[in-house]
Amino acid sequence: HAKKGGKNMNRPCISIDVSKGSSHVCGFTGYKEKFDSVFEIKHDKDGLEKLDKLYDELNSEERPIFIFESTGIYHRPLRFYLEKKKYPYVECSPLLAAKHRKNASIRSAKTDSRDTRALANLYYEVGLKESNQNLEVYYELKQLDRYYVSLTDYLIKSKVHCNEKLDVIFPNFRKEVSGNIYKNYYLELLLNYSHPDILSKTRIDAIENLLIKNGIQKSRSKNHALKIKEFSKNCFPGTMINSIDVMIFKDQLKDVMMYIKRREDIIEKMTSLGEVLPLYNLLLSIPGIGPVLAIRLVSELGDLSNFSTSKQLTAYAGLDPIIYQSGNYDGKGLKISKKGNKHLRTLLYQVVTICVYSKNDNSIKSYFEIKKQTVSTQSAYIACSDKLLRIIFGMNRTGELYKYQ
Protein backbone atom coordinates (compact mmCIF):
# COMPACT_ATOMS: atom_id res chain seq x y z
CA HIS A 1 0.00 0.00 0.00
CA ALA A 2 1.20 3.50 -0.79
CA LYS A 3 1.84 5.67 2.24
CA LYS A 4 1.41 9.41 2.60
CA GLY A 5 3.73 10.96 0.06
CA GLY A 6 3.80 7.73 -1.98
CA LYS A 7 2.82 6.88 -5.54
CA ASN A 8 -0.87 7.72 -5.05
CA MET A 9 -0.26 11.34 -4.10
CA ASN A 10 -0.43 12.71 -7.64
CA ARG A 11 -3.16 10.45 -9.00
CA PRO A 12 -6.43 12.22 -9.91
CA CYS A 13 -9.22 11.30 -7.53
CA ILE A 14 -12.99 11.79 -7.64
CA SER A 15 -14.45 11.85 -4.14
CA ILE A 16 -18.15 11.05 -3.72
CA ASP A 17 -20.17 11.59 -0.55
CA VAL A 18 -23.14 9.24 -0.98
CA SER A 19 -26.61 10.01 0.38
CA LYS A 20 -30.05 8.54 -0.20
CA GLY A 21 -30.86 9.05 -3.89
CA SER A 22 -28.06 11.57 -4.52
CA SER A 23 -24.38 12.28 -3.94
CA HIS A 24 -21.99 15.22 -3.65
CA VAL A 25 -18.95 15.00 -5.92
CA CYS A 26 -15.59 16.72 -6.02
CA GLY A 27 -12.53 16.11 -8.20
CA PHE A 28 -8.88 16.35 -7.10
CA THR A 29 -5.82 16.44 -9.34
CA GLY A 30 -3.62 15.28 -6.47
CA TYR A 31 -3.24 15.41 -2.69
CA LYS A 32 -5.03 18.54 -1.42
CA GLU A 33 -5.25 19.83 -5.00
CA LYS A 34 -8.93 20.49 -5.59
CA PHE A 35 -9.95 20.52 -9.25
CA ASP A 36 -13.31 22.27 -9.02
CA SER A 37 -16.11 23.04 -6.59
CA VAL A 38 -18.41 20.39 -5.11
CA PHE A 39 -21.53 19.60 -7.12
CA GLU A 40 -24.53 17.37 -6.47
CA ILE A 41 -25.83 14.57 -8.69
CA LYS A 42 -28.96 12.47 -8.50
CA HIS A 43 -28.71 8.70 -8.73
CA ASP A 44 -30.39 8.58 -12.12
CA LYS A 45 -29.04 8.34 -15.67
CA ASP A 46 -28.65 12.10 -16.14
CA GLY A 47 -26.95 12.53 -12.78
CA LEU A 48 -24.54 9.62 -13.04
CA GLU A 49 -23.52 10.59 -16.58
CA LYS A 50 -22.11 13.82 -15.13
CA LEU A 51 -19.36 11.66 -13.65
CA ASP A 52 -18.19 10.84 -17.20
CA LYS A 53 -17.45 14.51 -17.94
CA LEU A 54 -15.46 14.98 -14.73
CA TYR A 55 -13.61 11.72 -15.36
CA ASP A 56 -12.63 12.84 -18.88
CA GLU A 57 -11.47 16.25 -17.61
CA LEU A 58 -9.24 14.65 -14.97
CA ASN A 59 -7.99 11.80 -17.16
CA SER A 60 -4.28 12.20 -17.89
CA GLU A 61 -1.26 9.91 -17.70
CA GLU A 62 -2.92 8.05 -14.83
CA ARG A 63 -6.63 7.21 -14.78
CA PRO A 64 -8.68 8.99 -12.11
CA ILE A 65 -9.96 6.81 -9.30
CA PHE A 66 -13.30 7.19 -7.54
CA ILE A 67 -13.65 6.86 -3.78
CA PHE A 68 -16.88 6.52 -1.78
CA GLU A 69 -18.17 4.90 1.40
CA SER A 70 -20.29 1.76 1.39
CA THR A 71 -23.54 3.10 2.82
CA GLY A 72 -25.81 0.10 3.18
CA ILE A 73 -27.81 0.15 -0.06
CA TYR A 74 -27.60 3.81 -1.14
CA HIS A 75 -24.25 3.43 -2.91
CA ARG A 76 -25.40 0.49 -5.02
CA PRO A 77 -26.56 2.46 -8.14
CA LEU A 78 -23.29 4.42 -8.06
CA ARG A 79 -21.12 1.32 -7.79
CA PHE A 80 -23.09 -0.48 -10.49
CA TYR A 81 -22.61 2.50 -12.81
CA LEU A 82 -18.85 2.64 -12.18
CA GLU A 83 -18.52 -1.09 -12.81
CA LYS A 84 -20.47 -0.86 -16.07
CA LYS A 85 -18.10 1.90 -17.20
CA LYS A 86 -15.09 -0.09 -15.92
CA TYR A 87 -13.92 2.90 -13.90
CA PRO A 88 -11.46 2.15 -11.07
CA TYR A 89 -12.82 2.85 -7.60
CA VAL A 90 -12.21 2.43 -3.89
CA GLU A 91 -15.18 1.41 -1.76
CA CYS A 92 -14.22 2.07 1.85
CA SER A 93 -16.03 1.14 5.04
CA PRO A 94 -17.78 3.92 7.00
CA LEU A 95 -15.86 2.79 10.09
CA LEU A 96 -12.50 3.35 8.39
CA ALA A 97 -13.60 6.75 7.08
CA ALA A 98 -14.87 7.83 10.51
CA LYS A 99 -11.68 6.73 12.26
CA HIS A 100 -9.55 8.59 9.71
CA ARG A 101 -11.58 11.78 10.19
CA LYS A 102 -11.16 11.47 13.94
CA ASN A 103 -7.41 10.86 13.72
CA ALA A 104 -7.09 13.81 11.34
CA SER A 105 -8.86 16.01 13.92
CA ILE A 106 -11.67 16.93 11.54
CA ARG A 107 -14.10 17.98 14.24
CA SER A 108 -15.89 20.91 12.70
CA ALA A 109 -19.48 20.83 11.50
CA LYS A 110 -20.41 18.31 8.81
CA THR A 111 -20.62 19.83 5.33
CA ASP A 112 -20.73 18.35 1.85
CA SER A 113 -17.46 20.04 0.92
CA ARG A 114 -15.72 18.76 4.05
CA ASP A 115 -16.96 15.19 3.53
CA THR A 116 -15.66 14.95 -0.04
CA ARG A 117 -12.32 16.43 1.04
CA ALA A 118 -12.08 13.98 3.96
CA LEU A 119 -12.67 11.02 1.63
CA ALA A 120 -10.02 12.27 -0.80
CA ASN A 121 -7.55 12.70 2.08
CA LEU A 122 -8.34 9.16 3.20
CA TYR A 123 -7.40 7.83 -0.23
CA TYR A 124 -4.16 9.79 -0.44
CA GLU A 125 -2.99 9.50 3.16
CA VAL A 126 -3.84 5.84 3.81
CA GLY A 127 -3.04 4.62 0.33
CA LEU A 128 -6.14 2.50 -0.13
CA LYS A 129 -6.13 -0.27 -2.72
CA GLU A 130 -8.43 -0.20 -5.71
CA SER A 131 -11.48 -2.35 -4.95
CA ASN A 132 -11.90 -5.63 -6.77
CA GLN A 133 -14.67 -5.41 -9.33
CA ASN A 134 -16.96 -8.14 -10.55
CA LEU A 135 -17.12 -9.59 -7.02
CA GLU A 136 -20.87 -9.37 -6.77
CA VAL A 137 -20.73 -12.75 -5.03
CA TYR A 138 -19.71 -11.12 -1.74
CA TYR A 139 -22.66 -8.74 -1.86
CA GLU A 140 -25.06 -11.56 -2.67
CA LEU A 141 -23.68 -13.76 0.10
CA LYS A 142 -24.05 -11.01 2.68
CA GLN A 143 -27.61 -10.26 1.60
CA LEU A 144 -28.49 -13.95 1.81
CA ASP A 145 -26.96 -14.22 5.27
CA ARG A 146 -28.93 -11.22 6.52
CA TYR A 147 -32.06 -12.83 5.06
CA TYR A 148 -31.13 -16.04 6.87
CA VAL A 149 -30.90 -14.10 10.15
CA SER A 150 -34.32 -12.49 9.60
CA LEU A 151 -35.84 -15.90 8.79
CA THR A 152 -34.33 -17.22 12.02
CA ASP A 153 -36.03 -14.43 13.97
CA TYR A 154 -39.36 -15.27 12.35
CA LEU A 155 -38.81 -18.97 13.07
CA ILE A 156 -38.14 -18.33 16.76
CA LYS A 157 -41.32 -16.25 17.10
CA SER A 158 -43.35 -18.88 15.25
CA LYS A 159 -42.04 -21.59 17.57
CA VAL A 160 -43.04 -19.56 20.64
CA HIS A 161 -46.62 -19.21 19.37
CA CYS A 162 -46.70 -22.84 18.29
CA ASN A 163 -45.61 -23.99 21.75
CA GLU A 164 -48.47 -22.05 23.31
CA LYS A 165 -51.09 -23.83 21.18
CA LEU A 166 -49.36 -27.19 21.65
CA ASP A 167 -49.74 -26.83 25.42
CA VAL A 168 -53.46 -26.20 24.97
CA ILE A 169 -54.17 -29.01 22.51
CA PHE A 170 -51.53 -31.59 23.54
CA PRO A 171 -50.70 -30.86 27.21
CA ASN A 172 -47.39 -32.43 28.33
CA PHE A 173 -46.44 -33.56 24.79
CA ARG A 174 -42.93 -32.16 25.23
CA LYS A 175 -42.52 -33.92 28.59
CA GLU A 176 -43.94 -37.32 27.73
CA VAL A 177 -43.17 -37.68 24.01
CA SER A 178 -40.29 -35.39 23.04
CA GLY A 179 -38.83 -32.06 24.10
CA ASN A 180 -37.91 -31.34 20.49
CA ILE A 181 -41.14 -31.23 18.50
CA TYR A 182 -39.40 -29.44 15.61
CA LYS A 183 -37.99 -32.54 14.01
CA ASN A 184 -39.69 -33.05 10.67
CA TYR A 185 -41.50 -36.24 11.66
CA TYR A 186 -43.07 -34.63 14.74
CA LEU A 187 -44.17 -31.59 12.76
CA GLU A 188 -45.79 -33.76 10.12
CA LEU A 189 -47.42 -35.92 12.80
CA LEU A 190 -48.99 -32.95 14.58
CA LEU A 191 -50.07 -31.37 11.28
CA ASN A 192 -51.80 -34.54 10.09
CA TYR A 193 -53.27 -35.51 13.47
CA SER A 194 -53.76 -32.11 15.08
CA HIS A 195 -55.88 -33.21 18.06
CA PRO A 196 -55.49 -36.06 20.60
CA ASP A 197 -58.95 -37.41 19.76
CA ILE A 198 -57.82 -37.89 16.15
CA LEU A 199 -54.42 -39.32 17.04
CA SER A 200 -55.85 -41.78 19.60
CA LYS A 201 -58.06 -43.35 16.91
CA THR A 202 -55.23 -43.69 14.38
CA ARG A 203 -53.70 -47.13 13.76
CA ILE A 204 -50.18 -47.79 15.07
CA ASP A 205 -48.88 -48.76 11.62
CA ALA A 206 -50.19 -45.50 10.11
CA ILE A 207 -48.33 -43.48 12.75
CA GLU A 208 -45.21 -45.59 12.24
CA ASN A 209 -45.27 -45.17 8.45
CA LEU A 210 -45.66 -41.38 8.77
CA LEU A 211 -42.67 -41.23 11.11
CA ILE A 212 -40.50 -43.32 8.76
CA LYS A 213 -41.57 -41.30 5.72
CA ASN A 214 -40.49 -38.08 7.43
CA GLY A 215 -37.07 -39.12 8.62
CA ILE A 216 -37.12 -41.25 11.74
CA GLN A 217 -34.93 -44.37 11.78
CA LYS A 218 -36.93 -47.49 11.04
CA SER A 219 -35.45 -49.26 14.05
CA ARG A 220 -36.89 -46.57 16.34
CA SER A 221 -40.22 -46.05 14.59
CA LYS A 222 -42.23 -48.82 16.29
CA ASN A 223 -41.41 -47.76 19.85
CA HIS A 224 -42.08 -44.10 19.00
CA ALA A 225 -45.44 -44.94 17.44
CA LEU A 226 -46.49 -46.95 20.51
CA LYS A 227 -45.37 -44.15 22.83
CA ILE A 228 -47.29 -41.53 20.84
CA LYS A 229 -50.40 -43.71 20.67
CA GLU A 230 -50.38 -44.34 24.42
CA PHE A 231 -49.89 -40.64 25.15
CA SER A 232 -52.77 -39.58 22.87
CA LYS A 233 -55.16 -42.01 24.56
CA ASN A 234 -54.45 -40.53 27.99
CA CYS A 235 -54.15 -36.89 26.84
CA PHE A 236 -56.93 -34.52 27.86
CA PRO A 237 -56.96 -31.47 25.52
CA GLY A 238 -58.04 -27.97 26.45
CA THR A 239 -60.14 -27.55 23.33
CA MET A 240 -62.40 -29.41 20.87
CA ILE A 241 -61.40 -30.92 17.51
CA ASN A 242 -63.15 -28.20 15.51
CA SER A 243 -62.00 -25.28 17.68
CA ILE A 244 -60.25 -22.17 16.41
CA ASP A 245 -57.19 -23.21 18.44
CA VAL A 246 -56.71 -26.25 16.23
CA MET A 247 -57.01 -24.18 13.06
CA ILE A 248 -54.44 -21.66 14.31
CA PHE A 249 -52.12 -24.46 15.50
CA LYS A 250 -52.08 -26.04 12.05
CA ASP A 251 -51.27 -22.68 10.45
CA GLN A 252 -48.47 -22.13 12.94
CA LEU A 253 -47.02 -25.57 12.23
CA LYS A 254 -47.03 -24.72 8.51
CA ASP A 255 -45.23 -21.44 9.26
CA VAL A 256 -42.55 -23.25 11.26
CA MET A 257 -42.04 -25.81 8.51
CA MET A 258 -41.89 -23.08 5.88
CA TYR A 259 -39.23 -21.09 7.77
CA ILE A 260 -37.15 -24.22 8.41
CA LYS A 261 -37.26 -25.15 4.72
CA ARG A 262 -36.52 -21.59 3.60
CA ARG A 263 -33.47 -21.40 5.85
CA GLU A 264 -32.20 -24.69 4.43
CA ASP A 265 -32.71 -23.36 0.90
CA ILE A 266 -30.83 -20.16 1.72
CA ILE A 267 -27.84 -22.07 3.11
CA GLU A 268 -27.85 -24.28 0.02
CA LYS A 269 -27.88 -21.21 -2.23
CA MET A 270 -25.10 -19.55 -0.20
CA THR A 271 -22.97 -22.70 -0.38
CA SER A 272 -23.39 -22.99 -4.15
CA LEU A 273 -22.21 -19.38 -4.47
CA GLY A 274 -19.37 -19.43 -1.96
CA GLU A 275 -17.86 -22.91 -1.91
CA VAL A 276 -15.59 -21.98 -4.84
CA LEU A 277 -13.98 -19.22 -2.77
CA PRO A 278 -10.69 -20.37 -1.19
CA LEU A 279 -11.65 -19.02 2.25
CA TYR A 280 -14.57 -21.47 2.53
CA ASN A 281 -12.36 -24.59 2.55
CA LEU A 282 -9.80 -22.89 4.80
CA LEU A 283 -12.51 -22.21 7.38
CA LEU A 284 -13.71 -25.83 7.28
CA SER A 285 -10.28 -26.90 8.59
CA ILE A 286 -10.80 -24.96 11.84
CA PRO A 287 -12.25 -27.03 14.73
CA GLY A 288 -15.81 -25.98 15.52
CA ILE A 289 -16.59 -24.70 12.02
CA GLY A 290 -18.92 -26.83 9.94
CA PRO A 291 -20.39 -26.10 6.49
CA VAL A 292 -23.13 -23.73 7.75
CA LEU A 293 -20.85 -21.65 9.96
CA ALA A 294 -18.17 -21.65 7.26
CA ILE A 295 -20.39 -20.20 4.53
CA ARG A 296 -21.95 -17.70 6.93
CA LEU A 297 -18.49 -16.53 8.02
CA VAL A 298 -17.44 -16.14 4.39
CA SER A 299 -20.57 -14.05 3.84
CA GLU A 300 -19.89 -11.69 6.74
CA LEU A 301 -16.10 -11.49 6.32
CA GLY A 302 -16.38 -10.61 2.65
CA ASP A 303 -13.28 -10.14 0.53
CA LEU A 304 -10.41 -10.23 3.05
CA SER A 305 -8.04 -8.72 0.49
CA ASN A 306 -9.72 -5.40 1.39
CA PHE A 307 -7.91 -5.54 4.76
CA SER A 308 -4.18 -4.91 4.79
CA THR A 309 -3.76 -5.74 8.50
CA SER A 310 -5.49 -7.92 11.07
CA LYS A 311 -6.19 -4.78 13.12
CA GLN A 312 -8.36 -3.43 10.31
CA LEU A 313 -10.31 -6.69 10.30
CA THR A 314 -10.65 -6.55 14.10
CA ALA A 315 -12.08 -3.03 13.81
CA TYR A 316 -14.47 -4.19 11.08
CA ALA A 317 -15.81 -6.81 13.48
CA GLY A 318 -16.10 -4.27 16.30
CA LEU A 319 -13.65 -6.22 18.48
CA ASP A 320 -11.16 -3.37 18.77
CA PRO A 321 -10.82 -2.06 22.34
CA ILE A 322 -12.11 1.31 23.54
CA ILE A 323 -9.24 3.27 25.05
CA TYR A 324 -9.85 5.66 27.95
CA GLN A 325 -7.13 8.13 28.82
CA SER A 326 -7.12 10.60 31.69
CA GLY A 327 -3.91 12.05 33.03
CA ASN A 328 -1.58 9.20 33.86
CA TYR A 329 -4.43 6.68 33.66
CA ASP A 330 -4.54 4.60 30.52
CA GLY A 331 -7.42 2.13 30.60
CA LYS A 332 -6.83 0.01 27.54
CA GLY A 333 -8.99 -2.95 26.65
CA LEU A 334 -11.75 -2.34 29.15
CA LYS A 335 -14.48 -2.75 26.55
CA ILE A 336 -14.75 -3.42 22.84
CA SER A 337 -16.13 -0.77 20.51
CA LYS A 338 -19.02 -2.89 19.09
CA LYS A 339 -19.11 -0.43 16.18
CA GLY A 340 -18.43 -3.05 13.55
CA ASN A 341 -20.25 -6.02 12.07
CA LYS A 342 -22.43 -7.48 14.87
CA HIS A 343 -23.40 -10.47 12.72
CA LEU A 344 -19.72 -11.39 12.33
CA ARG A 345 -19.17 -11.03 16.11
CA THR A 346 -22.09 -13.38 16.77
CA LEU A 347 -20.67 -16.03 14.42
CA LEU A 348 -17.19 -15.77 15.94
CA TYR A 349 -18.69 -16.15 19.41
CA GLN A 350 -20.53 -19.31 18.29
CA VAL A 351 -17.32 -20.86 16.97
CA VAL A 352 -15.39 -19.93 20.12
CA THR A 353 -18.10 -21.51 22.31
CA ILE A 354 -17.90 -24.75 20.31
CA CYS A 355 -14.09 -24.77 20.53
CA VAL A 356 -14.05 -24.07 24.27
CA TYR A 357 -16.44 -26.94 25.04
CA SER A 358 -14.83 -29.33 22.57
CA LYS A 359 -13.36 -32.56 23.96
CA ASN A 360 -10.41 -32.16 21.60
CA ASP A 361 -7.57 -29.73 22.20
CA ASN A 362 -7.34 -26.67 19.96
CA SER A 363 -5.64 -23.29 20.06
CA ILE A 364 -8.83 -21.40 20.95
CA LYS A 365 -9.55 -23.71 23.91
CA SER A 366 -5.97 -23.39 25.15
CA TYR A 367 -6.05 -19.61 24.82
CA PHE A 368 -9.38 -19.46 26.70
CA GLU A 369 -7.92 -21.43 29.63
CA ILE A 370 -5.03 -18.97 29.83
CA LYS A 371 -7.15 -15.81 29.54
CA LYS A 372 -9.82 -16.79 32.08
CA GLN A 373 -7.12 -16.92 34.79
CA THR A 374 -6.72 -13.14 34.58
CA VAL A 375 -9.99 -11.80 33.13
CA SER A 376 -13.72 -12.53 33.35
CA THR A 377 -15.24 -15.37 31.34
CA GLN A 378 -16.95 -12.86 29.03
CA SER A 379 -13.66 -11.04 28.40
CA ALA A 380 -11.98 -14.38 27.71
CA TYR A 381 -14.60 -15.15 25.05
CA ILE A 382 -14.00 -11.75 23.46
CA ALA A 383 -10.24 -12.29 23.48
CA CYS A 384 -10.73 -15.70 21.85
CA SER A 385 -12.99 -14.18 19.18
CA ASP A 386 -10.21 -11.72 18.38
CA LYS A 387 -7.65 -14.53 18.24
CA LEU A 388 -9.91 -16.56 15.95
CA LEU A 389 -10.22 -13.58 13.63
CA ARG A 390 -6.44 -13.19 13.52
CA ILE A 391 -6.06 -16.91 12.76
CA ILE A 392 -8.53 -16.58 9.88
CA PHE A 393 -6.71 -13.49 8.56
CA GLY A 394 -3.38 -15.32 8.63
CA MET A 395 -4.77 -18.45 6.96
CA ASN A 396 -6.31 -16.36 4.19
CA ARG A 397 -3.01 -14.59 3.60
CA THR A 398 -0.90 -17.77 3.45
CA GLY A 399 -3.54 -20.06 1.95
CA GLU A 400 -2.64 -22.75 4.51
CA LEU A 401 -5.14 -24.95 6.36
CA TYR A 402 -5.50 -24.69 10.14
CA LYS A 403 -2.84 -26.45 12.20
CA TYR A 404 -2.92 -26.81 15.97
CA GLN A 405 0.55 -26.48 17.45
Side-chain angles (χ1 to χ4, degrees):
H1 291 279
K3 301 296 182 183
K4 186 174 179 179
K7 64 180 182 180
N8 284 350
M9 303 304 282
N10 295 317
R11 182 174 184 177
C13 166
I14 299 173
S15 175
I16 305 178
D17 178 40
V18 179
S19 302
K20 182 179 180 179
S22 64
S23 292
H24 287 85
V25 183
C26 189
F28 295 81
T29 56
Y31 182 53
K32 293 189 176 180
E33 296 176 4
K34 195 173 177 181
F35 176 71
D36 204 349
S37 58
V38 177
F39 62 93
E40 184 176 6
I41 63 168
K42 289 183 179 180
H43 292 172
D44 56 23
K45 289 182 179 179
D46 290 339
L48 291 168
E49 285 174 357
K50 293 178 182 178
L51 297 176
D52 298 336
K53 181 182 178 183
L54 180 58
Y55 181 88
D56 291 338
E57 289 174 343
L58 286 170
N59 200 6
S60 55
E61 295 179 0
E62 193 167 12
R63 298 173 70 199
I65 188 166
F66 293 83
I67 180 168
F68 57 90
E69 291 181 41
S70 53
T71 54
I73 59 173
Y74 300 142
H75 71 287
R76 292 279 299 166
L78 169 66
R79 189 178 76 178
F80 187 55
Y81 184 80
L82 298 179
E83 289 183 348
K84 283 189 71 176
K85 290 285 186 174
K86 301 191 182 304
Y87 290 151
Y89 67 80
V90 173
E91 180 182 334
C92 68
S93 74
L95 186 63
L96 177 61
K99 285 195 171 187
H100 182 264
R101 283 193 294 268
K102 184 177 180 181
N103 293 337
S105 298
I106 301 176
R107 297 192 179 97
S108 52
K110 176 180 173 70
T111 67
D112 303 325
S113 176
R114 195 176 305 281
D115 288 341
T116 53
R117 189 189 70 193
L119 278 171
N121 288 347
L122 171 64
Y123 169 71
Y124 289 118
E125 294 174 2
V126 178
L128 298 175
K129 286 198 308 181
E130 180 179 331
S131 297
N132 291 326
Q133 297 192 22
N134 301 319
L135 290 179
E136 183 73 2
V137 62
Y138 289 110
Y139 171 80
E140 291 183 349
L141 282 171
K142 182 171 286 189
Q143 296 308 304
L144 285 169
D145 190 60
R146 300 299 167 84
Y147 184 34
Y148 180 86
V149 171
S150 67
L151 288 171
T152 302
D153 291 338
Y154 292 139
L155 176 60
I156 291 170
K157 291 176 182 177
S158 294
K159 284 182 176 181
V160 170
H161 295 311
C162 202
N163 286 339
E164 292 173 355
K165 291 301 179 191
L166 178 73
D167 290 338
V168 171
I169 303 169
F170 289 93
N172 294 319
F173 186 97
R174 282 175 291 170
K175 287 184 179 179
E176 298 185 25
V177 178
S178 175
N180 182 8
I181 71 162
Y182 297 106
K183 292 179 179 178
N184 191 51
Y185 45 84
Y186 285 133
L187 290 170
E188 287 288 351
L189 175 81
L190 293 169
L191 184 61
N192 282 272
Y193 310 112
S194 51
H195 193 276
D197 291 351
I198 302 173
L199 192 54
S200 63
K201 296 174 183 177
T202 305
R203 290 170 47 179
I204 292 288
D205 60 340
I207 296 174
E208 184 180 0
N209 289 335
L210 183 144
L211 294 174
I212 293 171
K213 182 181 178 182
N214 290 284
I216 199 169
Q217 294 176 352
K218 193 170 183 179
S219 58
R220 299 170 56 222
S221 62
K222 186 74 171 180
N223 287 338
H224 264 64
L226 288 168
K227 186 177 181 180
I228 290 166
K229 178 77 171 181
E230 192 62 31
F231 165 78
S232 64
K233 285 181 178 180
N234 195 41
C235 180
F236 191 85
T239 189
M240 297 180 294
I241 291 178
N242 59 351
S243 72
I244 201 72
D245 286 316
V246 173
M247 185 202 78
I248 294 172
F249 182 51
K250 292 176 74 172
D251 283 348
Q252 290 168 341
L253 287 168
K254 291 175 184 176
D255 286 344
V256 168
M257 295 167 76
M258 183 265 292
Y259 288 130
I260 290 174
K261 179 65 167 61
R262 195 73 190 108
R263 286 167 84 245
E264 291 172 351
D265 291 343
I266 292 300
I267 291 297
E268 185 178 338
K269 175 66 174 175
M270 290 168 66
T271 304
S272 67
L273 283 172
E275 63 185 352
V276 296
L277 300 172
L279 181 59
Y280 175 74
N281 287 312
L282 293 176
L283 290 173
L284 285 175
S285 69
I286 299 176
I289 299 182
V292 174
L293 277 175
I295 196 60
R296 293 196 62 206
L297 279 166
V298 169
S299 303
E300 294 298 337
L301 287 164
D303 183 6
L304 289 185
S305 66
N306 290 328
F307 303 97
S308 56
T309 67
S310 60
K311 286 185 178 180
Q312 290 179 0
L313 182 56
T314 298
Y316 171 70
L319 290 171
D320 51 327
I322 297 173
I323 299 176
Y324 298 93
Q325 289 184 325
S326 178
N328 294 325
Y329 174 72
D330 187 358
K332 294 184 178 180
L334 296 178
K335 292 183 179 180
I336 58 173
S337 70
K338 293 188 179 180
K339 288 184 178 179
N341 186 330
K342 67 178 182 179
H343 300 284
L344 176 56
R345 287 199 304 275
T346 299
L347 292 171
L348 293 170
Y349 194 90
Q350 288 179 28
V351 177
V352 167
T353 302
I354 294 170
C355 289
V356 167
Y357 286 97
S358 173
K359 293 180 180 179
N360 301 319
D361 291 333
N362 57 77
S363 56
I364 298 298
K365 184 176 181 179
S366 301
Y367 190 64
F368 178 81
E369 294 298 328
I370 294 170
K371 294 299 292 184
K372 75 173 186 178
Q373 295 176 14
T374 56
V375 300
S376 67
T377 301
Q378 181 65 21
S379 295
Y381 275 110
I382 292 170
C384 288
S385 296
D386 178 55
K387 181 175 179 63
L388 174 61
L389 205 54
R390 287 186 277 114
I391 289 172
I392 292 171
F393 182 82
M395 289 170 59
N396 184 73
R397 176 158 285 188
T398 62
E400 297 178 359
L401 299 176
Y402 171 86
K403 292 179 182 178
Y404 174 53
Q405 298 176 340

